[in-house]
Amino acid sequence: MDRLIGKIALVTGAAQGIGLAVAQAFASEGAVVFAGDVQTGKEAEGIKPVRLDVSSSDDWQSVVAEIIATHGRIDVLVNNAGIVACYEPVHGTDIESWQRVLAVNLTGSFLGMQAVLPFMRRAKQGSIINFSSIWGNVGVPGAAAYNAAKGGVRNMTKNAAVTYAPENVRVNSVHPGLIRTPLVEAQSDDMNGGIIASTPMGRMGTPHEVAAGCVFLASDEASFVTGSELVIDGGYLAQ
C-alpha cells in the first residue's frame, strides 16, 4: 500500500465524511496528510489535524506556510470542504446564504489553489483535486446557491488544468452523487429517497468509494490525467 508514499497532502473538510475517508486512504497509501477543518479532528498515524476555514485567505496562508516550513513542499491538495446551508431556489435565496455557500464551496477552492500553486509550479509537479458534485453538471430544483457553486468549481478546475498543465500541475474535479455522510444524513428522507430512486445502482455511495478515486488522481498513476471529471454517482449522470 504505497501508491502515495512520500507525498505531502492537504485535505480540507477532513474531520468527517468524505474528507476524513480521503485523509485516511491517503495515509494508508504512505502520504503525510494535513487534515484541515473548522472542527477539531483526531490525530492518527500519518494524519495531522490543522484548523482551516477555507473561506479565509489568512487561514490558507498560515496552513500552507506550516506545511512548507515542515516539509519544504506540498504535492497534493484536495479541496473537499463544502456546505449546502440553503435549499431554496433563486427567488427564495437570501444574499447572506448565497454568499456563504459560494464562500465555502467555490471561493474556498479558489483560495486553496492560490495558496499552493506557487509551490507546485516551482516544483514542476502537483495534483489538485477539487470537489464538485453531480449538481455541478446538472440542475436540481432548489439549492440554487449550491448548484451555482459546484458548477463554478467544475469549470474553474478546467481553467486551472489547461493553465498549469505545461508546468506538470494536474487539476481534476470529483463529482460524487449521493454519498452517506453527515451532510447527507441531515437531509430529509424524502429528498434522499428521491435521489436514490433516480440512481441506477439504487443506493447511496460510501465515503471510502469516493476516497479510492481520489487516491488514483493523487497518485503518479494519473500522470496524464488533468482537466477530467471523475463521476462517482452510481450511474445517476449516465441517464
Side-chain angles (χ1 to χ4, degrees):
M1 305 293 283
D2 59 359
R3 296 164 73 193
L4 302 179
I5 194 162
K7 292 191 181 293
I8 311 302
L10 172 57
V11 181
T12 71
Q16 62 182 3
I18 293 172
L20 176 59
V22 171
Q24 292 171 335
F26 279 16
S28 73
E29 293 285 352
V32 174
V33 182
F34 287 78
D37 207 299
V38 292
Q39 302 180 47
T40 302
K42 295 181 179 179
E43 190 158 354
E45 184 176 355
I47 300 176
K48 179 181 180 180
V50 290
R51 191 190 183 285
L52 174 58
D53 175 355
V54 298
S55 67
S56 166
S57 179
D58 288 345
D59 274 18
W60 274 110
Q61 295 304 318
S62 176
V63 169
V64 171
E66 177 185 348
I67 295 171
I68 297 301
T70 306
H71 297 283
R73 68 183 199 280
I74 181 165
D75 303 302
V76 183
L77 169 64
V78 181
N79 279 314
N80 161 75
I83 59 172
V84 180
C86 176
Y87 290 87
E88 301 302 320
V90 170
H91 71 271
T93 300
D94 62 81
I95 189 64
E96 291 80 11
S97 296
W98 171 269
Q99 290 173 337
R100 180 59 182 158
V101 171
L102 266 66
V104 174
N105 293 291
L106 180 57
T107 304
S109 294
F110 164 76
L111 291 173
M113 290 197 294
Q114 263 199 340
V116 305
L117 275 167
F119 305 101
M120 290 184 173
R121 295 176 69 196
R122 185 173 66 197
K124 298 295 183 184
Q125 66 86 30
S127 173
I128 297 174
I129 302 167
N130 292 327
F131 267 73
S132 182
S133 163
I134 55 174
W135 305 140
N137 297 65
V138 296
V140 59
Y146 189 80
N147 248 163
K150 291 303 187 178
V153 169
R154 180 192 187 199
N155 269 357
M156 181 173 65
T157 297
K158 294 183 186 304
N159 172 274
V162 298
T163 301
Y164 303 109
E167 296 170 291
N168 199 35
V169 177
R170 300 182 295 103
V171 191
N172 295 286
S173 56
V174 175
H175 299 250
L178 193 68
I179 308 298
R180 191 174 296 281
T181 65
L183 185 91
V184 165
E185 289 174 344
Q187 296 177 159
S188 71
D189 291 341
D190 285 347
M191 176 180 292
N192 289 339
I195 300 171
I196 291 172
S198 298
T199 299
M201 293 189 76
R203 65 172 177 87
M204 290 188 191
T206 70
H208 296 290
E209 289 173 311
V210 180
C214 292
V215 168
F216 167 69
L217 291 176
S219 76
D220 294 339
E221 297 166 14
S223 57
F224 199 54
V225 180
T226 196
S228 70
E229 301 173 20
L230 178 55
V231 176
I232 306 174
D233 71 345
Y236 186 98
L237 289 181
Q239 302 174 96

